[in-house]
Amino acid sequence: MFRQFTILVLTVLIFARIPSAQNPIDKPPSLGTLKVVVMDVTGKPIPNAYILLETDHAALKCLSNQEGRCELGLPRDLYRVSIVSSEQFCWSRRAAIRLTPSTSATLNFILIEYQSVVPKGNGRELGDDEFVDTWGVNIQYESVPLPRPQSNVPEVGIQFGERTEKRRRIEYRADLLYSGHSLFGDQHPGVVVSYDTTTIYANVVRFDKRSFQFEAEGNVIIEDGKQRIRVRGAKLKFQSGVPTLEFIR
């Protein structure tokens, strides 16, 4: 049976495996704090990741530090955050988040390596041209505007690999599911649904355009700004622009 709660306040979520900043930045009361944390699927921080923050009228960039963090004091606005370059890791993007004065928000980005290179030979010395890519990752991003944006932010973001549309439904799947030890167990889900600081990870997500409902299944993980939980399934709904998240334990 689905359990239900309404997303009223989205607070700070930071993985316990990543230590907190030693010297948080000082900021005037008119600014809010946006923290971006970049890590690989095992939770290891990724330094020197190129982070892009965009509003409707400006853009700002920063690099993650050795703890995989970037922390900024910013004025009230809607911010769209992307990881656009991080050496061997895939890019990633999230839906807009709304930052307000004297508040703090955190976005966690978990990046998958985009390629694995192995030699063709059998133990002998090889030249540079004798290595082959074994796999690549196809990542796409789609922003879905809310029909009546009365909520905190005007859109839902979906990061995926494959997209199939049939009548009123769209199905999103990952191009490649990471197998091996990860923060989420033996398999890292490849579809990411984001709304403000709430994130849903899953193997498959189905979007019903008529009811404006997102249904996630397969290795589902929810981060709601207060906790991270594994569930059997989840539904993100919007009624008059107000988000409601239901899930099955």
Side-chain angles (χ1 to χ4, degrees):
M1 182 175 181
F2 277 105
R3 300 184 181 183
Q4 177 175 315
F5 63 90
T6 301
I7 304 171
L8 297 177
V9 179
L10 299 173
T11 55
V12 177
L13 173 71
I14 302 178
F15 286 114
R17 296 184 59 171
I18 296 187
S20 59
Q22 296 298 317
N23 297 302
I25 60 174
D26 295 327
K27 62 183 186 306
S30 60
L31 300 182
T33 301
L34 178 60
K35 304 173 185 177
V36 180
V37 183
V38 188
M39 67 194 83
D40 66 15
V41 295
T42 68
K44 181 181 178 181
I46 300 177
N48 301 316
Y50 186 109
I51 302 166
L52 179 65
L53 299 91
E54 298 174 283
T55 68
D56 290 338
H57 51 270
L60 177 67
K61 64 181 180 180
C62 67
L63 291 176
S64 60
N65 60 19
Q66 292 302 308
E67 295 180 338
R69 293 172 174 270
C70 174
E71 183 174 336
L72 299 168
L74 299 168
R76 178 195 302 268
D77 212 331
L78 279 172
Y79 292 90
R80 293 173 175 86
V81 184
S82 304
I83 311 298
V84 295
S85 176
S86 54
E87 297 184 353
Q88 75 268 31
F89 295 93
C90 297
W91 64 272
S92 186
R93 187 175 183 181
R94 295 292 172 82
I97 70 167
R98 184 176 296 279
L99 195 64
T100 56
S102 302
T103 62
S104 179
T106 297
L107 288 180
N108 294 303
F109 284 84
I110 302 172
L111 306 185
I112 298 176
E113 290 185 88
Y114 67 79
Q115 66 178 5
S116 177
V117 180
V118 297
K120 295 178 181 178
N122 296 317
R124 61 184 176 82
E125 187 175 351
L126 299 173
D128 291 341
D129 60 345
E130 294 185 277
F131 286 75
V132 59
D133 292 347
T134 57
W135 53 269
V137 180
N138 174 37
I139 292 181
Q140 303 178 62
Y141 178 86
E142 194 166 275
S143 177
V144 182
L146 297 182
R148 291 183 294 276
Q150 302 171 19
S151 59
N152 193 41
V153 294
E155 65 188 20
V156 175
I158 307 178
Q159 187 170 296
F160 61 96
E162 299 176 357
R163 180 186 189 275
T164 304
E165 185 167 358
K166 294 182 179 179
R167 296 182 180 178
R168 73 178 197 180
R169 288 201 168 195
I170 303 175
E171 182 174 283
Y172 301 93
R173 291 181 176 269
D175 178 63
L176 177 71
L177 298 178
Y178 172 89
S179 295
H181 173 67
S182 78
L183 288 167
F184 299 151
D186 294 333
Q187 190 180 73
H188 184 82
V191 182
V192 183
V193 177
S194 56
Y195 172 79
D196 208 7
T197 54
T198 296
T199 304
I200 302 172
Y201 298 88
N203 293 346
V204 181
V205 172
R206 297 180 180 88
F207 171 47
D208 189 311
K209 295 186 288 184
R210 181 179 300 176
S211 63
F212 210 86
Q213 173 178 295
F214 299 83
E215 185 171 356
E217 66 178 40
N219 198 22
V220 181
I221 307 293
I222 300 173
E223 297 181 4
D224 69 352
K226 292 176 277 188
Q227 59 182 334
R228 185 184 67 204
I229 58 173
R230 179 186 296 275
V231 298
R232 289 187 292 157
K235 293 180 180 179
L236 178 62
K237 302 178 179 180
F238 292 85
Q239 297 178 347
S240 300
V242 179
T244 301
L245 185 60
E246 301 176 350
F247 58 90
I248 304 173
R249 282 285 194 175

